[in-house]
Amino acid sequence: MAQQSKNILSEIQGVESEFEKEVAAIDSVTKLETVRIVFLSKKGKLQSLFSHLGALDPQERPLVGAELNRLKNRIQEDLLEKKSALGSAKSPVDSFDPTLPGKTPSFGTIHPLMQVLGEIENIFMGMGFRVEEGPEIETEFYNFEALNIPEDHPSRDMQDTFYLPDNYLLRTHTSPVQIRTMQKQRPPVRMIAPGRCFRRDTPDATHSPTFHQVEGLCVDKGVSFADLKGVIMAFARKLFDAEVKVRFRPGFFPFTEPSAEYDFSCIFCSGQGCRVCKNTGWLEISGAGMVDPAVFGFVDYDPAIYTGYAFGMGVERIAMLKYQVHDIRIFYENDLRFLRQF
Ligand code: DAH
C-alpha cells in the first residue's frame, strides 16, 4: 500500500479517537451541535479527509473510501444516539411548566405556650415591667441559696431536679432570675422573667419534667402588698376578663415574707362551681409575696430602704385554662393535629 494511503488511514484513526473523546463529554444540546460542526460540516474534519481521496492510487481508493464512510456513519449514529439520550433526560428548565399552579407552602404557627407567654409579656410590659432572661443551667447558689433556701431546707425536696457536674443543675423555677437581675441593677427594679424550668417529675396529666414559668419582681421604696394585689388583679382581668376576681391565701415560700398563693375566680363558671374548678369556684394560679429581707442580703439591697414583691406563675397552667387543655403532655408531643388548632 502506498505511503499516502497509509497516512490517511492513520489520520482516520486519529479523528475517530478524537471523536470518541468529544462525544463522551457531550452534556448539552449546544455541545452536541458544536461537535457535529467540528466533524460533519462542510469544513469539518471528515470532509477534509474525503477531499484527499482523489489524490490516492485508484486501486486503493475504494478501501480508504469505505473506511471513511464507516467513520462518517458511526459519527452520525453516535450523535443521534446522544441527542435522544439528552432529550429523554429532560433538564428542569425543559420540564418546567410556568402555567401550573404552585405548591402551597405550609406555614407553621406559633406554639400555644409561646402565644400565651407573649400575651403575658405584653400585659406586664404595658405596666412598665421589663423582660429579663436567665440561664436554664443554673448554680445551686442562684436556684436555692440566694433565694433563702439553704442546703438542708426541706423545701428543696419539692424541687428535685437534674444535677450536672460542678454544682450545676437545671433550674427548677424562674426565681433565680430575680437574683441575677438585682445583682446587675440597683432599684427601682420592675421585671418579669419568662422561661423554661425543669424538675424530676414523672409525667402525668398535670406534671411534666419540663415546663414554663413567668417570674415577676418589683423593688422600690415604699412598695407594699397592696401594689402586688393591684398588679395581679390587673393582669388577671387583662388575660381573662374584666369580671375575674383574685384571692390571696396564706402560703409559704422561703424567699418571700409574708407569702401567699393566689387564685382567680373560675373563668368557666364565673365562680359558681364546675368540673374545671372542682366545684370550688377558684382556679389556683401560683405563689407570690413580699421579698424576704434575707434575699436582699444576698444582693446588697438595704431592706431598711427598699421593699419589694415577687410572684410566679406557670405558663402551662394558664394555657390549659385558656384553651381548655386537660393534659399537659400534649404541649410537648409535636402532634400537628393539636398544634394546627392554634
Ligand atoms: N418559684 C416558685 C415555684 O416555682 C413560685 C413563686 C412563688 C415565685 C412565690 C415567686 C414567689 O416569685 O414570690 O414554686
Side-chain angles (χ1 to χ4, degrees):
M1 185 183 273
Q3 188 57 42
Q4 227 178 349
S5 299
K6 282 189 190 162
N7 287 350
I8 295 203
L9 283 176
S10 94
E11 266 185 66
I12 292 175
Q13 248 180 19
V15 171
E16 184 156 21
S17 56
E18 197 184 323
F19 171 74
E20 279 167 4
K21 251 191 254 159
E22 300 247 345
V23 84
I26 290 175
D27 59 3
S28 69
V29 182
T30 334
K31 269 199 188 155
L32 183 117
E33 182 58 9
T34 317
V35 175
R36 191 193 64 79
I37 290 167
V38 169
F39 289 90
L40 296 179
S41 70
K42 272 190 186 157
K43 290 182 181 166
K45 302 204 174 207
L46 241 72
Q47 199 52 44
S48 111
L49 289 174
F50 273 112
S51 66
H52 291 116
L53 274 183
L56 298 184
D57 182 336
Q59 286 186 336
E60 294 176 352
R61 232 178 266 161
L63 185 126
V64 177
E67 188 55 15
L68 259 176
N69 277 325
R70 184 196 59 79
L71 178 57
K72 184 177 169 188
N73 288 336
R74 183 206 163 166
I75 291 181
Q76 281 171 338
E77 275 167 28
D78 281 11
L79 287 180
L80 266 180
E81 209 174 284
K82 197 81 198 182
K83 191 170 180 180
S84 71
L86 282 175
S88 62
K90 270 192 186 159
S91 75
V93 175
D94 292 338
S95 62
F96 180 70
D97 180 353
T99 64
L100 286 175
K103 284 185 197 154
T104 316
S106 63
F107 289 104
T109 54
I110 296 174
H111 193 280
L113 286 178
M114 294 302 120
Q115 290 189 29
V116 169
L117 202 60
E119 233 178 287
I120 296 173
E121 284 178 9
N122 277 337
I123 295 172
F124 281 106
M125 284 193 294
M127 294 193 281
F129 286 74
R130 260 177 35 182
V131 178
E132 296 283 347
E133 276 183 50
E136 290 171 3
I137 294 176
E138 264 298 3
T139 60
E140 281 195 53
F141 175 78
Y142 286 107
N143 199 79
F144 294 125
E145 198 83 24
L147 288 163
N148 202 27
I149 314 174
E151 200 166 353
D152 55 358
H153 197 284
S155 79
R156 278 205 192 189
D157 296 348
M158 283 166 12
Q159 303 201 0
D160 193 10
T161 183
F162 302 88
Y163 285 85
L164 305 163
D166 301 326
N167 283 332
Y168 285 107
L169 48 80
L170 298 186
R171 69 175 175 193
T172 56
H173 48 182
T174 45
S175 304
V177 189
Q178 289 188 28
I179 308 297
R180 289 181 174 276
T181 306
M182 287 191 281
Q183 270 183 342
K184 66 176 187 197
Q185 194 190 322
R186 304 300 303 169
V189 171
R190 198 175 283 138
M191 68 95 185
I192 57 164
R196 192 168 180 174
C197 308
F198 308 83
R199 285 188 201 181
R200 194 180 158 278
D201 258 331
T202 307
D204 64 24
T206 54
H207 294 85
S208 161
T210 176
F211 54 96
H212 299 75
Q213 287 187 341
V214 175
E215 193 75 16
L217 173 73
C218 169
V219 183
D220 203 350
K221 288 179 187 155
V223 173
S224 74
F225 205 101
D227 297 313
L228 168 64
K229 288 183 87 169
V231 161
I232 295 292
M233 198 163 344
F235 167 69
R237 291 179 175 173
K238 259 273 197 283
L239 185 71
F240 291 118
D241 72 74
E243 304 302 315
V244 169
K245 294 188 188 66
V246 177
R247 92 175 167 185
F248 285 76
R249 290 174 287 116
F252 173 77
F253 298 98
F255 40 93
T256 42
E257 182 59 37
S259 301
E261 311 231 1
Y262 59 95
D263 308 330
F264 294 170
S265 59
C266 181
I267 48 174
F268 299 105
C269 61
S270 308
Q272 298 305 299
C274 68
R275 202 172 47 84
V276 182
C277 62
K278 296 188 188 111
N279 280 315
T280 62
W282 295 95
L283 302 167
E284 288 179 24
I285 301 298
S286 191
M290 299 304 290
V291 179
D292 194 303
V295 172
F296 284 152
F298 284 99
V299 295
D300 239 357
Y301 280 12
D302 186 346
I305 303 176
Y306 298 110
T307 50
Y309 62 78
F311 57 88
M313 65 186 76
V315 180
E316 278 79 354
R317 169 94 178 122
I318 290 173
M320 286 168 86
L321 290 172
K322 202 172 161 69
Y323 300 125
Q324 292 229 48
V325 171
H326 302 297
D327 192 324
I328 194 172
R329 290 168 290 193
I330 201 163
F331 286 121
Y332 316 109
E333 285 169 355
N334 285 336
D335 186 335
L336 292 180
R337 291 169 303 178
F338 172 70
L339 295 176
R340 285 205 176 111
Q341 296 177 47
F342 297 94

